[in-house]
Amino acid sequence: MSHRARDWQSHPPAIDAGYKSTALRGPTRPLIPLPQGTATSSGPVYGQDDVRAIDTDLTMNGRTNGEPLGERIIVTGRVLDDAGRPLAGELVEVWQANAAGRYFHDGDQHDAPIDPNFFGGGRSVTDADGVYRFTTIRPAAYPWGNHANAWRPGHIHFSLFGPTIASRLVTQMYFPGDPLLDLDPIFQAVPARARDRLVSRFDIGVTQEAFALGYVFDIVLAGGAETPFEGDR
Amino acid sequence: MAEKQTPSQTVGPFFAYGLTARQYGYRHPQVADGQISDATADGTAITVVGQVLDGQGVAVGDAMLEIWQADAAGQYPNPSGGGNTGFRGFARVGTGADASQTFRFDTIKPGAVDGRQAPHLNVIVFMRGLLNHCHTRIWFSDEAAANAADPVLASIPEARRGTVIAQRQDTPQGPVYRFDIHMQGDQETVFFDI
């Protein structure tokens, strides 16, 4: 008997025919379970002092000479473990393209403008109820080379730790109603039953009058519930 | 389970300014770099270097690695602080800041954990083209006796154990352990179901 944290019914495969980069990068051999009692029951300790208040507001932390362009939005949600417990004090790291679909990254060659007032990186720490909150600019779609006329739907990258290394998660948040979701191999690689968990929900309650639309994206990390299995994989 | 897990997605090619900003020269904070401990920490200073290689043996230039390890006494850092001064236990580096796509961690050699696990580093691998991050461990070639008694190593088919043992090289700067991560192929690194 052993335990795994990740519920593989919720996650994409290592190699996906539609997402071409997986062909040479995804492991081909079965993952090996850790023997009982050998899992590392702790997780990274980092300096929360490093998290600046301004980094929850991506419309502020990249300014050089004015306001960033694009549609202001608020993105908020709860971080839970899979037993349903809110996770307080958790670091949430995000990064994203700007309103033109361009990343502030030397490797992004897409012919769309850099916004001198938008960096696209942010960090937040969840409160006592497990809630994080960012103010940002809605990221646009951008083309990529996976196949002919391939476009990534607008998305925000999220990185979270949770209480142990088994709860680590890197994912992407999408927007409701985006027609590119049906055509995106990275989103479609997720089992159909789990895809809607990556799509944020528009929320008029989070929306701030005359300021910004609000989206809710709750995140559930592995490792809170025991998931015993008998070498079935 | 009370709640269904949020699916994993790839870290993509453009994580550097968000997650490893200082290493890549962006003006943004990051929570960790390749320095797991400084000179004030107890223990033997070591360096770990390597490359991440794809199924054709090509070094991957947009991977990110995280290390989480115990200190020289086999203790993991405690979130509430205290313990081994100068030892963070956590590192994060990308492979794209070096011309040869080589990663490097400076740390101290961990001690045995729980009295029965040989000294090891926990490693998490992320990259474009990897939809789920991969977990592996690094053991050390100069710990043959401890490795022989390690229950996790024992659970790995013998022919594959070599893929998770870093090879020691002695240099004027101290011991350097080489650990290449092969995503596929005959030497495919052992990844754990965590």
Side-chain angles (χ1 to χ4, degrees):
Chain A
M1 184 67 82
S2 187
H3 292 83
R4 72 159 69 98
R6 280 184 283 188
D7 163 25
W8 289 109
Q9 305 300 311
S10 295
H11 299 289
I15 296 177
D16 178 82
Y19 179 20
K20 298 222 170 92
S21 298
T22 63
L24 289 174
R25 293 183 168 197
T28 65
R29 305 197 189 200
L31 302 179
I32 293 183
L34 290 176
Q36 187 76 34
T38 61
T40 301
S41 59
S42 59
V45 175
Y46 47 84
Q48 290 189 357
D49 293 347
D50 297 345
V51 179
R52 307 175 296 181
I54 195 174
D55 282 325
T56 64
D57 189 342
L58 285 72
T59 71
M60 296 294 292
N61 76 347
R63 290 190 186 197
T64 57
N65 60 10
E67 290 189 62
L69 295 175
E71 179 190 349
R72 269 192 307 263
I73 59 171
I74 293 159
V75 177
T76 186
R78 288 205 303 163
V79 181
L80 310 169
D81 68 19
D82 53 10
R85 291 176 290 234
L87 297 174
E90 290 296 333
L91 177 68
V92 180
E93 297 171 281
V94 297
W95 68 103
Q96 62 166 93
N98 67 21
R102 178 76 184 262
Y103 283 88
F104 193 87
H105 188 289
D106 296 339
D108 186 358
Q109 300 300 308
H110 177 35
D111 181 21
I114 291 278
D115 185 335
N117 294 304
F118 188 75
F119 179 72
R123 308 185 321 156
S124 175
V125 176
T126 58
D127 68 15
D129 298 317
V131 175
Y132 70 88
R133 182 185 178 93
F134 292 101
T135 301
T136 186
I137 296 291
R138 181 164 173 158
Y142 61 85
W144 62 310
N146 188 71
H147 57 276
N149 208 11
W151 291 79
R152 295 291 337 273
H155 60 274
I156 299 175
H157 295 267
F158 276 72
S159 172
L160 300 103
F161 289 101
T164 77
I165 65 167
S167 48
R168 189 82 175 91
L169 179 71
V170 168
T171 191
Q172 301 181 27
M173 182 205 95
Y174 301 94
F175 291 89
D178 190 331
L180 292 170
L181 291 174
D182 288 343
L183 304 171
D184 180 48
I186 294 178
F187 177 72
Q188 291 291 324
V190 173
R193 70 178 78 81
R195 280 176 206 149
D196 63 358
R197 298 174 214 161
L198 294 180
V199 180
S200 58
R201 170 171 58 81
F202 169 71
D203 190 308
I204 193 67
V206 172
T207 298
Q208 282 188 19
E209 185 164 2
F211 179 71
L213 298 188
Y215 293 88
V216 173
F217 181 55
D218 294 329
I219 299 166
V220 178
L221 303 182
E226 296 276 289
T227 52
F229 70 105
E230 288 275 7
D232 54 349
R233 200 188 153 84
Chain B
M1 274 175 247
E3 296 285 341
K4 291 172 176 164
Q5 293 175 10
T6 302
S8 175
Q9 294 271 270
T10 177
V11 75
F14 302 134
F15 62 82
Y17 70 85
L19 300 183
T20 54
R22 286 198 305 271
Q23 183 195 1
Y24 284 71
Y26 295 103
R27 294 176 60 185
H28 188 61
Q30 67 183 62
V31 290
D33 53 21
Q35 189 85 31
I36 301 180
S37 70
D38 65 28
T40 67
D42 296 332
T44 304
I46 65 169
T47 298
V48 179
V49 300
Q51 292 171 306
V52 179
L53 302 159
D54 73 11
Q56 293 180 326
V58 175
V60 171
D62 54 6
M64 185 180 87
L65 301 186
E66 290 179 346
I67 301 270
W68 173 236
Q69 69 162 93
D71 65 15
Q75 298 294 316
Y76 284 92
N78 187 321
S80 56
N84 195 343
T85 305
F87 180 75
R88 301 190 63 171
F90 180 56
R92 177 193 273 171
V93 299
T95 60
D98 175 82
S100 63
Q101 286 83 48
T102 298
F103 61 81
R104 174 190 174 108
F105 296 99
D106 293 301
T107 185
I108 53 169
K109 195 161 179 198
V113 174
D114 295 337
R116 65 189 194 116
Q117 295 194 48
H120 64 274
L121 311 174
N122 301 286
V123 183
I124 310 181
V125 184
F126 306 83
M127 74 187 85
R128 174 178 64 84
L130 206 54
L131 285 160
N132 303 294
H133 57 268
C134 290
H135 288 274
T136 187
R137 290 186 180 185
I138 297 175
W139 284 271
F140 300 95
S141 63
D142 53 358
E143 295 283 349
N147 290 346
D150 184 279
V152 181
L153 271 175
S155 74
I156 298 171
E158 190 170 2
R160 300 191 65 199
R161 280 180 208 156
T163 70
V164 286
I165 296 176
Q167 296 300 315
R168 176 174 174 145
Q169 302 159 345
D170 289 305
T171 76
Q173 289 75 41
V176 175
Y177 293 86
R178 175 88 194 182
F179 189 80
D180 290 331
I181 297 172
H182 297 261
M183 299 310 298
Q184 299 180 352
D186 291 346
Q187 298 299 309
E188 183 174 318
T189 299
V190 166
F191 298 111
F192 296 107
D193 195 357
I194 292 172

